Amino acid sequence: MEQLARKLREANVGKVLEQELLARHTTMKIGGPADIMVIPSSIEGVHKTLEIVKEQKVKWTAIGRGSNLLVSDKGIEGVVIKLGEGLDHLNVEETKVRVGAGYSLVKLATLLSRQGLSGLEFAGGIPGSVGGAVYMNAGAHKSDMSEIITRALVMLEDGTVEWLTNEELAFSYRTSVLQKQRPGIVLEAELELQKGDRDEVFAVIQKNKDYRRDTQPWNHPCAGSIFRNPLPSFAGNLVEKAGLKGYQIGGAKISEMHGNFIVNTGTATAEDVLCLVRHIKQVIQEQYGIEMHTEVEIIGR
């Protein structure tokens, strides 16, 4: 790995860190070390990184702001490519927005609302990056990324870069084609918004932010919603009805505020969280005959 780290530094791909704890890069504050972490300084940096990694036949994983992730206590093998600074460019022309995958989704939603652009209000309070939001079709308040995205620039596993249209991204509930059928890294996205009344748009986004603050435990380390909603039921309601709110295993606890959140009370390991996830699944299956599926991505060794 030392030799690979040296090659990446020589290629000037961006910041190269060895044995970097993922707990520093996830909102849950959990996760062992990455053999190597690269924070690319540009799209070209991502391309060069993938080229070198593939040449060396090493595994790679892409992450954004770490808000929908549970990383193994043993860390992640190979190279972790973190999209952040360096891929946070933004260009707004009328109602068309072109934005880098590393841009903060909350920051983007707030900025555009102040310009009177409507369509991204649902993202008020959703942590994470634009790239991650496209990848998992992030949404809330009866809307999601599929409603506003026209196309995304994606680097596919073989290193080729393609613009994929909204249709080609094959969005569905918290899912896109990028998760399984065509794995790749979102580099940037193009959005189409509408002109709205600046004050009205900003008021909606503030209302959505306030709702999240009042109903979800973002003052504690957490990863967002743990389970997908088994529609027409809601995961949080099922957990609450099953009497599981406040249930704790090790340092991982089901939030008292919201049944679909697991918080790190300070000492939680990934194993604590996984044990709690398994317990919830079992209880909901026994009580309601409903199979629960995780929304949070579980990655690592």
Side-chain angles (χ1 to χ4, degrees):
M1 282 293 159
E2 277 179 33
Q3 189 187 351
L4 177 56
R6 191 168 63 247
K7 274 195 171 210
L8 289 163
R9 287 190 184 103
E10 284 166 2
N12 203 26
V13 297
K15 199 180 282 185
V16 179
L17 308 166
E18 294 175 73
Q19 294 300 309
E20 178 71 5
L21 281 179
L22 268 299
R24 295 180 186 137
H25 301 272
T26 61
T27 54
M28 206 159 203
K29 307 294 181 204
I30 289 174
D35 291 340
I36 295 173
M37 176 178 277
V38 175
I39 304 173
S41 52
S42 62
I43 287 175
E44 182 55 29
V46 181
H47 199 275
K48 277 186 193 170
T49 300
L50 264 190
E51 221 170 56
I52 293 166
V53 165
K54 285 176 74 65
E55 187 186 283
Q56 300 289 308
K57 296 183 170 61
V58 171
K59 287 184 180 177
W60 62 270
T61 307
I63 68 168
R65 299 172 75 86
S67 64
N68 191 45
L69 288 181
L70 177 63
V71 178
S72 160
D73 299 316
K74 293 176 182 173
I76 299 179
E77 185 184 344
V79 174
V80 172
I81 302 168
K82 179 179 177 174
L83 306 182
E85 289 172 32
L87 275 94
D88 54 359
H89 50 281
L90 174 66
N91 182 50
V92 183
E93 283 183 23
E94 298 289 324
T95 55
K96 285 186 169 47
V97 177
R98 189 161 168 173
V99 59
Y103 208 96
S104 156
L105 190 64
V106 172
K107 186 178 166 188
L108 180 68
T110 306
L111 183 88
L112 295 176
S113 72
R114 286 194 174 120
Q115 294 181 26
L117 289 174
S118 175
L120 202 53
E121 293 93 325
F122 71 86
I126 296 183
S129 62
V130 167
V134 174
Y135 178 83
M136 69 165 292
N137 190 22
H141 308 289
K142 298 181 182 173
S143 189
D144 55 35
M145 292 301 287
S146 72
E147 300 282 328
I148 55 168
I149 189 163
T150 51
R151 58 180 191 155
L153 186 65
V154 177
M155 189 172 293
L156 300 166
E157 276 194 315
D158 62 2
T160 58
V161 177
E162 277 184 44
W163 281 102
L164 298 183
T165 63
N166 183 304
E167 199 171 52
E168 288 168 329
L169 286 160
F171 290 117
S172 57
Y173 174 65
R174 302 297 173 264
T175 311
S176 76
V177 75
L178 302 171
Q179 289 174 18
K180 285 181 182 162
Q181 298 103 309
R182 298 189 76 185
I185 302 174
V186 178
L187 301 173
E188 61 180 322
E190 280 189 0
L191 316 176
E192 180 64 59
L193 303 179
Q194 299 91 41
K195 283 188 174 171
D197 179 275
R198 185 181 171 280
D199 292 340
E200 281 176 20
V201 175
F202 191 65
V204 172
I205 212 162
Q206 278 306 125
K207 185 182 162 197
N208 291 345
K209 278 186 184 178
D210 292 345
Y211 174 80
R212 283 201 167 239
R213 193 191 61 234
D214 296 341
T215 61
Q216 298 175 4
W218 286 104
N219 53 332
H220 295 284
C222 61
S225 296
I226 290 291
F227 295 102
R228 294 165 189 261
N229 287 321
L231 299 171
S233 301
F234 290 92
N237 288 349
L238 289 172
V239 172
E240 192 169 336
K241 281 198 298 180
L244 288 171
K245 268 173 127 180
Y247 190 88
Q248 186 165 344
I249 293 177
K253 180 181 179 182
I254 299 170
S255 167
E256 305 272 9
M257 273 183 105
H258 195 302
N260 200 17
F261 278 67
I262 292 175
V263 298
N264 176 358
T265 60
T267 58
T269 62
E271 194 49 43
D272 291 341
V273 178
L274 288 172
C275 285
L276 197 44
V277 164
R278 285 193 286 269
H279 180 71
I280 294 166
K281 282 183 170 183
Q282 187 184 339
V283 170
I284 300 301
Q285 180 71 54
E286 285 170 0
Q287 291 197 20
Y288 305 106
I290 293 172
E291 191 179 350
M292 301 287 275
H293 297 280
T294 51
E295 179 174 313
V296 69
E297 267 208 275
I298 300 161
I299 61 171
R301 288 187 169 98

